[in-house]
Amino acid sequence: CGKLCSPSWKTCCRDGKCQTHAMSCGADTGVFLLIRKTIILLQRSAGHAFWPSPYLDAFGEEDINIKRGKPLYLNEERYAALSHMVTSHGIARSSKALHQTLIGAFLML
């Protein structure tokens, strides 16, 4: 849907509510960029899986949890792979996404 969700200013995003948002806005499927963790959350029904960040530094490396604080740039190849998986409804068929855990485990992040 393109909406911004932030647990600090939107109650619908608190306490692992990505599942609720995905159900109401994305037909039970959602793709969320967790900015501070620099990772993608793929949400499908009551489960989730993580996908590598499409943002890399100048050397092509991820900055997980933004620990190094270097500028990050959109990697077109990673973004294209993610876009293709989402637009072709591949989240439901992806072996990575099929090895899901319950959404309750997301709360521990």
Side-chain angles (χ1 to χ4, degrees):
C1 67
K3 290 185 181 177
L4 294 176
C5 291
S6 172
S8 61
W9 50 270
K10 282 201 167 208
T11 57
C12 65
C13 301
R14 292 185 187 137
D15 302 322
K17 297 293 184 179
C18 291
Q19 178 184 4
T20 303
H21 185 80
M23 287 174 55
S24 66
C25 202
D28 215 19
T29 300
V31 179
F32 301 92
L33 171 61
L34 306 179
I35 295 174
R36 292 191 179 170
K37 298 211 178 277
T38 62
I39 198 164
I40 300 290
L41 170 66
L42 302 173
Q43 181 69 46
R44 176 81 173 143
S45 300
H48 70 274
F50 295 101
W51 193 264
S53 174
Y55 292 95
L56 304 176
D57 67 14
F59 300 102
E61 298 175 348
E62 292 186 34
D63 188 4
I64 299 171
N65 294 327
I66 313 177
K67 289 186 178 183
R68 292 179 287 153
K70 301 291 182 186
L72 300 175
Y73 307 95
L74 181 64
N75 179 281
E76 297 293 335
E77 187 176 318
R78 283 189 176 194
Y79 183 74
L82 176 63
S83 294
H84 180 269
M85 184 182 64
V86 172
T87 58
S88 66
H89 305 283
I91 292 176
R93 296 185 306 270
S94 170
S95 60
K96 182 173 183 126
L98 290 176
H99 294 284
Q100 299 172 5
T101 57
L102 291 177
I103 193 65
F106 174 66
L107 297 175
M108 298 174 14
L109 289 177

